[in-house]
Structures are given as C-alpha cells and as structure tokens.
Amino acid sequence: MDLPAQRRLKAIQSHVLSSTNADQSDLQANLTSSQFVHRQQYSVCLPEKLQTGKWNVYRSARSPMKIVTRFHDHPEIETLHDNFVHAVKTFGDYKYLGTRARADGMIGEYTWMTYGEAGAAREAIGSALRFHGLQKGACIGLYFINRPEWLIVDHACTAYSYISIPLYDTLGPDAVKYVVNHADVQGIFCVPETLNTLLSFISEIPSVRLIVVVGGVDEHLPSLPLASGVKLISYTKLSSE
C-alpha cells in the first residue's frame, strides 16, 4: 500500500505533462517589478502544462531546476520568523501595517505602524504569553477580523513557537467551540464583539487559560469566576507586561 506522501506525489504527477524537450532553452523569463527593483527577473516558466487547464508552472529564476531551502544571498533566512526579522532589520523605518479610522461616516487618513514598531509589538506579545505560562507549542486562537493586531499575534506565534489557530466568527459559535476543543487552544485573542460569544460557552472549552481582548478596556471587562481558571486581560495591558 502506498504511503500518504506517495499517493500525494502520484496525484500531483497526474496533473503535470512533462516536456519531451529537456533543453533548458524552453525556460521563459517572467519579468516582474516592485517598489525597489525594476524589471528584475524573479521567476521562469517551466516547460510543463497542467492537464486541467492552460496554466504555467513557475519556479524561482535563481533555481529553476530544483527547490531550495534558503536564499543564496541570505542564507540566514530559513523560516517565516527569520524572514520577518530580516525585514525589521532592513526596513525598520518603512511603513508596514496601516489602518483607517471611520468618523461620522467618513474614512480618515491611514495611520501606519513601521516594521520596527511591529517587531517590538511582536516581542511584547510573545514574551507576555510566555509570562502567563503558555509553553512552546501551545495553540493560540485568533477570533477577530483582519487588523494589525491579528498579524502581530501571528508574528508572535512564529517567533515564540506557538501555533496560531484562526477562529472564524462567520461559521458560528458551534464551529468556534469545536475548533478550540479539537486544537486544545490555550489562549484566545478576540474583540469585545466576539468576547460575548466566547463567554457564552466558556465552561465548554476547558483548555482555554487566557483570553486577550483587542480594543478592550480592562476596567470594562467582565469578571470571571475563579473556578473558571481563565485569565481575562486587554491587549493593551498584555503588551505592556
């Protein structure tokens, strides 16, 4: 019987048609551009076509014939954490995460967080989670819509070896409860709107030890019974610990 990895390879292979011409001249340059590099060759088009459609297969121009695990000019970058650390060091003062506030039905100007500020916030959140007893490998739930804090928490998870678990409010409370229990989530970041949902079944998610409210004010947070074993704290207070 084939192993799962072998079955996966066979499934992928069945969708790829190999070229009969092994000449590397079949590789076509795919020119792209960015804010910092103009007309830099980033990828090449390999001589394969997917059977299910006329889609090209692309690979890095620096290594078109094999997959690499590190960048040639940045051998220190191997993981997402390494990549973000490099970005903080290289682009510390550059704009990274932007938000626009709404007031009286009008959308205001962007307020930006730089790479350096995001890096500092990531360290503050990650170390605070460790301070509250969450050990390496613990699952952390993210129960709110996209905003800078979502990405900061995710960066903290990669930096401190936590596992980030997205919790989708659109799937309803039962789905959230199922995911939390299935993943044995120990900490959850939420907003005031989703906090009420969590508290409605807090006794049914016994693995949770810490709930952090993004945009919440500690003085306005509800008190939880000591028997629940759950610590409730605002994101602002957590990041300052």
Side-chain angles (χ1 to χ4, degrees):
M1 180 179 294
D2 290 340
L3 296 175
Q6 293 173 323
R7 292 198 298 270
R8 179 176 296 177
L9 286 174
K10 287 183 178 180
I12 294 174
Q13 190 174 21
S14 67
H15 286 277
V16 178
L17 291 175
S18 299
S19 171
T20 57
N21 185 358
D23 189 349
Q24 291 192 16
S25 62
D26 286 339
L27 301 179
Q28 304 171 21
N30 179 49
L31 299 179
T32 60
S33 62
S34 70
Q35 182 178 356
F36 302 101
V37 182
H38 180 62
R39 294 186 64 81
Q40 173 70 37
Q41 182 176 330
Y42 285 105
S43 62
V44 293
C45 180
L46 300 183
E48 290 97 4
K49 294 287 185 180
L50 295 181
Q51 291 180 350
T52 53
K54 296 181 179 180
W55 304 104
N56 293 323
V57 179
Y58 290 93
R59 186 169 285 172
S60 171
R62 297 183 179 183
S63 182
M65 305 311 295
K66 65 178 181 179
I67 297 176
V68 297
T69 58
R70 295 174 184 264
F71 297 109
H72 175 72
D73 50 348
H74 292 289
E76 75 280 6
I77 299 177
E78 185 178 19
T79 65
L80 287 175
H81 167 65
D82 297 335
N83 191 62
F84 184 68
V85 169
H86 172 75
V88 170
K89 291 180 179 178
T90 307
F91 308 109
D93 295 328
Y94 281 71
K95 297 175 181 178
Y96 178 41
L97 301 173
T99 58
R100 301 176 72 181
R102 292 177 179 269
D104 299 326
M106 302 294 292
I107 300 178
E109 296 295 326
Y110 275 102
T111 300
W112 290 95
M113 174 181 284
T114 65
Y115 277 92
E117 292 169 339
R122 173 206 59 172
E123 293 182 7
I125 293 299
S127 60
L129 291 176
R130 190 62 56 85
F131 172 78
H132 281 277
L134 276 69
Q135 299 301 312
K136 177 180 178 180
C139 290
I140 308 297
L142 292 91
Y143 192 24
F144 55 100
I145 61 175
N146 291 344
R147 54 187 293 171
E149 292 87 352
W150 200 106
L151 202 53
I152 295 299
V153 175
D154 194 53
H155 282 315
C157 288
T158 59
Y160 285 79
S161 298
Y162 295 123
I163 303 170
S164 60
I165 307 293
L167 302 172
Y168 298 101
D169 189 39
T170 53
L171 298 181
D174 289 339
V176 172
K177 181 170 42 176
Y178 173 82
V179 173
V180 169
N181 286 324
H182 186 269
D184 199 31
V185 171
Q186 297 185 34
I188 298 178
F189 285 76
C190 66
V191 290
E193 294 78 9
T194 54
L195 173 63
N196 293 330
T197 302
L198 281 177
L199 296 182
S200 68
F201 53 78
I202 190 67
S203 62
E204 301 176 63
I205 46 176
S207 63
V208 176
R209 300 167 49 190
L210 177 69
I211 296 178
V212 183
V213 185
V214 178
V217 180
D218 286 276
E219 291 74 13
H220 298 160
L221 296 180
S223 299
L224 298 181
L226 293 177
S228 69
V230 179
K231 172 75 173 181
L232 187 61
I233 187 174
S234 71
Y235 179 91
T236 301
K237 184 175 181 179
L238 181 75
S239 61
S240 64
E241 292 184 336

